[in-house]
């Protein structure tokens, strides 16, 4: 039972990042290699906010907002000038961002590990179905589920979601109908970065905050996104569950085989459905 | 008046429009006919801001809008119904209409009015775009353009590939839209439909206007590829 809970909490963390990656790819056509670095920056900002305000909750608001603002600036300053160029330029730009973000973090926070304590009500563990389960992991699962619900509601039921679904499929026609597609791109990148900020904050009490944390998790996120189908948010949910569970149960039964196991899952999915679990034509839908 | 003045348009180095002059006034239906590859779609895309002009100007009610981006052109009151309709297949018919209203102030056109114009769309409101028939897609494409409350409507071969009864329905709708005060630039490959609707005709060939007039009687000879005038 506790393995299941651990798996679910990992899945939620993976989803928060994979959702941003897949949304950004769906709308901008860019694979954001800097997504892990944004997540890492989010964790450090959460640490700073925690130290400043003395509590976890302000961090959960401040860090994502800062990341969203940074995302807005990054899209406008580094990606937008490159849209007329081929995709390699944008990939290179996101690679460059990793270097910049890592250097900023190194200069500001140094190389020491940092840690976040869970908020007061969420420390310790509860007995559930005969096993001890960390309260904070339950919170992560509930919070992640709420974010998933909010994202689906936003995409399926709001005007912005409608615009997103249309503009990601046919930006030219969307513009012909009066939609400012550049603005949509900025907002989507900001949303993706904000989700990475949420992910970084959530991860703070679970994992040590360090420079390499983004790189460690982003490989799994790429696998999640490819399994789900690039640009498909529903697919990201399933992919995250698949990889999260593989990690949790792998840790229990064959820790030295975990990384191999995630690649096996990826290969198995791609053999059965080369385009991922959900077809690209249903992007963001 | 929506107009191109001495407009050149290039695709790379190939010139598709040569010093093109054309204009449409409110409540007027102007027909532009010409064979495949003449430059009709290029002219409409240039008017919608989707292609930039190599030379010349684009004007809207006396204002120079030459460099105006497509989304701003739409907000200024110019709507394009493209040749291939470009319905969002992943959205329902109703969502396609809603989308067009997002960036525009409310005006005379509402979903209810579009459904009154094309009752078939009301029946198919919840169907996904990609499941609509050709006729339904064309109705939706026009309805969607109307949802932006345009003052000028650019129609690229709206009756292409439609059954005769749907063509008749489309003609009635186009006439009604113009009576409402909207200026319409109607592009077709033959004069059959334009002759029923338009007062003024342009024949375009090789990216140039080769004939312009109000007498549609002998227009067939003018645009028919067998007797094309150069
Ligand atoms: N995207 C494009 N790239 C290059 N050439 C194009 C493109 N679109 C159209 N053309 C060329 O421009 C000319 C006019 O095309 P078009 O405006 O589509 O003609 P029409 O709509 O009258 O059939 C043709 O010679 C066509 O081959
Ligand atoms: Mg054409």
């Amino acid at each position: 039972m506790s393995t299941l809970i651990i798996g679910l909490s990992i899945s939620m963390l993976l989803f928060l990042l994979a959702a941003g990656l897949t949304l950004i790819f769906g709308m901008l056509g860019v694979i954001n290699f800097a997504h892990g670095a944004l997540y890492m920056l989010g964790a450090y900002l959460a640490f700073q906010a925690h130290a400043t305000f003395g509590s976890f909750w302000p961090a959960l608001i401040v860090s994502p907002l800062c990341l969203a603002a940074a995302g807005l600036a990054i899209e406008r300053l580094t990606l937008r000038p490159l849209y007329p160029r081929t995709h390699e330029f944008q990939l290179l730009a996101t690679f460059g961002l990793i270097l910049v973000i890592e250097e900023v973090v190194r200069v500001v926070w140094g190389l020491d590990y940092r840690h976040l304590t869970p908020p007061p009500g969420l420390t310790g563990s509860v007995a559930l179905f005969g096993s001890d389960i960390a309260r904070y992991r339950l919170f992560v699962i509930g919070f992640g589920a709420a974010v998933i619900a909010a994202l689906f509601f936003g995409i399926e039921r709001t005007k912005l979601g409608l615009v997103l679904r249309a503009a990601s499929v046919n930006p030219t026609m969307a513009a012909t109908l009066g939609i400012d597609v550049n603005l949509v791109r900025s907002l989507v990148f900001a949303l993706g970065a904000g989700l990475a900020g949420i992910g970084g904050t959530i991860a703070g009490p679970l994992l040590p905050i360090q420079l390499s944390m983004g790189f460690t998790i982003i490989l799994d996120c790429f696998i999640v996104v490819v399994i789900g189908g690039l640009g498909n948010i529903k697919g990201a949910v399933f992919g995250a569950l698949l990889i999260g569970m593989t990690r949790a149960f792998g840790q229990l039964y064959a820790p030295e085989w975990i990384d191999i196991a995630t690649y096996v899952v990826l290969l198995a999915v791609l053999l059965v459905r080369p385009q991922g679990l959900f077809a690209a034509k249903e992007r963001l839908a | 008046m929506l107009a191109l003045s001495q407009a050149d348009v290039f695709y790379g180095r190939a010139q598709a429009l040569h010093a093109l002059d054309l204009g449409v006034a409110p409540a007027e239906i102007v027909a532009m006919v010409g064979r495949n590859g003449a430059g009709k779609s290029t002219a409409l895309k240039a008017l919608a801001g989707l292609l930039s002009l190599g030379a010349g100007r684009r004007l809207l009610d006396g204002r120079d809008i030459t460099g105006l981006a497509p989304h701003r052109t739409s907000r200024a009151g110019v709507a394009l119904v493209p040749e291939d309709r470009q319905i969002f297949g992943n959205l329902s018919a109703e969502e396609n209409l809603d989308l067009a209203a997002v960036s525009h102030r409310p005006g005379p056109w509402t979903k209810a009015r579009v459904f009154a114009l094309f009752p078939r769309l009301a029946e198919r409101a919840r169907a996904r775009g990609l499941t609509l028939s050709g006729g339904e897609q064309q109705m939706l494409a026009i309805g969607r353009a109307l949802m932006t409350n345009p003052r000028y409507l650019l129609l690229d071969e709206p009756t292409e590939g439609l059954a005769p009864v749907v063509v008749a329905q489309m003609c009635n709708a186009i006439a009604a839209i113009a009576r409402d005060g909207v200026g319409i630039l109607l592009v077709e490959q033959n004069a059959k439909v334009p002759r029923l609707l338009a007062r003024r005709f342009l024949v375009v060939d090789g990216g140039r206007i080769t004939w312009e007039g109000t007498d549609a009687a002998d227009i067939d000879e003018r645009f028919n590829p067998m007797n094309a005038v150069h």
Side-chain angles (χ1 to χ4, degrees):
Chain A
M1 189 63 203
S2 68
T3 311
L4 191 68
I5 297 293
I6 291 172
L8 276 177
S9 62
I10 297 174
S11 301
M12 291 307 175
L13 193 54
L14 288 176
F15 172 78
L16 286 171
L17 294 190
L21 267 181
T22 216
L23 280 169
I24 289 170
F25 179 81
M27 186 60 224
L28 284 72
V30 176
I31 294 176
N32 180 26
F33 281 113
H35 217 66
L38 291 173
Y39 156 83
M40 184 263 295
L41 179 61
Y44 276 96
L45 283 172
F47 164 79
Q48 198 59 52
H50 194 295
T52 308
F53 299 103
S55 159
F56 175 82
W57 301 114
L60 191 51
I61 295 170
V62 170
S63 167
L65 284 183
C66 288
L67 259 290
L72 217 53
I74 288 170
E75 193 276 340
R76 292 204 70 134
L77 298 177
T78 69
L79 293 178
R80 187 176 298 183
L82 298 176
Y83 290 136
R85 308 285 195 103
T86 56
H87 281 325
E88 293 89 84
F89 283 87
Q90 294 145 30
L91 291 185
L92 277 177
T94 67
F95 261 125
L97 273 173
I98 299 179
L99 303 180
V100 173
I101 292 171
E102 285 192 348
E103 205 50 43
V104 166
V105 168
R106 203 194 318 271
V107 167
V108 176
W109 287 285
L111 291 169
D112 294 340
Y113 285 17
R114 310 286 176 151
H115 193 72
L116 277 190
T117 45
L122 297 176
T123 51
S125 53
V126 287
L128 211 63
F129 305 108
S131 39
D132 274 350
I133 301 204
R135 278 205 183 86
Y136 185 72
R137 288 208 182 264
L138 291 177
F139 162 74
V140 169
I141 295 167
F143 188 80
V147 171
I148 292 176
L151 272 180
F152 274 92
F153 179 84
I155 289 172
E156 298 291 340
R157 293 274 179 274
T158 67
K159 271 186 188 174
L160 184 62
L162 179 63
V163 168
L164 197 61
R165 281 182 287 151
S168 64
V169 172
N170 187 345
T172 307
M173 191 62 223
T176 308
L177 292 171
I179 285 153
D180 185 347
V181 176
N182 275 336
L183 180 64
V184 178
R185 291 198 177 106
S186 298
L187 291 179
V188 167
F189 200 89
L191 174 65
L195 286 170
I198 295 179
T201 309
I202 291 287
L206 290 176
L207 307 163
I209 298 173
Q210 54 181 330
L211 268 177
S212 64
M213 66 187 287
F215 184 73
T216 319
I217 198 168
I218 207 64
L219 280 180
D220 271 357
C221 291
F222 281 132
I223 294 177
V224 164
V225 166
V226 172
I227 285 179
L230 269 170
N232 190 299
I233 195 110
K234 240 181 259 167
V237 176
F238 283 88
L241 285 172
L242 219 50
I243 294 302
M245 289 304 168
T246 305
R247 283 231 165 260
F249 282 94
Q251 187 65 44
L252 189 64
Y253 295 114
E256 63 275 25
W257 290 95
I258 291 184
D259 289 329
I260 307 283
T262 56
Y263 292 123
V264 169
V265 171
L266 173 66
L267 272 178
V269 169
L270 290 186
L271 279 177
V272 183
R273 289 182 66 91
Q275 72 280 61
L277 290 175
F278 293 82
K281 70 168 186 286
E282 294 193 42
R283 276 181 8 190
L284 299 182
Chain B
M1 188 89 167
L2 173 67
L4 287 178
S5 165
Q6 293 290 302
D8 287 354
V9 171
F10 295 83
Y11 291 107
R13 294 168 139 236
Q15 188 163 2
L17 297 184
H18 301 265
L20 202 77
D21 279 311
L22 66 82
V24 54
E28 182 190 27
I29 301 180
V30 175
M32 177 158 61
V33 292
R35 59 177 150 190
N36 200 8
K40 307 180 296 295
S41 298
T42 301
L44 294 195
K45 285 179 191 161
L47 281 167
L50 292 171
L51 295 170
S52 47
L53 303 186
R57 291 186 307 157
R58 181 162 61 114
L59 302 161
L60 177 63
D61 297 333
R63 181 158 76 107
D64 189 323
I65 58 162
T66 304
L68 203 65
H71 69 279
R72 293 196 189 283
T73 303
S74 165
R75 292 173 191 182
V78 179
L80 169 68
V81 177
E83 197 170 2
D84 44 5
R85 289 134 199 189
Q86 306 216 16
I87 296 304
F88 293 97
N90 58 333
L91 307 184
S92 71
E94 187 170 6
E95 284 175 326
N96 270 276
L97 296 177
D98 289 335
L99 177 74
V102 167
S103 315
H104 296 267
R105 272 186 237 103
W109 285 97
T110 59
K111 258 190 289 184
R113 211 169 149 208
V114 168
F115 288 151
L117 185 68
F118 297 117
R120 180 71 189 143
L121 285 185
E123 294 165 28
R124 303 284 279 146
R126 319 213 70 185
R128 275 191 167 219
L130 49 83
T131 67
L132 301 178
S133 73
E136 289 163 354
Q137 289 203 6
Q138 189 61 59
M139 294 175 198
L140 183 56
I142 294 178
R144 187 175 64 175
L146 291 173
M147 290 297 285
T148 68
N149 284 298
R151 284 179 297 143
Y152 298 95
L153 183 60
L154 312 171
L155 299 174
D156 201 344
E157 304 195 27
T159 63
E160 158 80 12
L162 301 186
V165 19
V166 188
V167 171
Q169 220 182 329
M170 210 54 87
C171 287
N172 288 333
I174 292 169
I177 296 163
R179 272 197 305 277
D180 210 54
V182 177
I184 295 178
L185 184 54
L186 171 66
V187 157
E188 287 286 354
Q189 280 199 37
N190 61 60
K192 219 161 49 194
V193 167
R195 194 182 280 127
L196 302 173
L197 292 168
R199 289 275 168 71
R200 210 148 60 74
F201 303 86
L202 309 170
V203 173
V204 54
D205 199 18
R208 294 183 169 86
I209 306 282
T210 54
W211 183 81
E212 190 167 358
T214 53
D215 180 11
D218 57 347
I219 195 169
D220 268 319
E221 289 86 76
R222 298 192 186 278
F223 78 84
N224 186 328
M226 302 306 292
N227 311 302
V229 288
H230 287 281

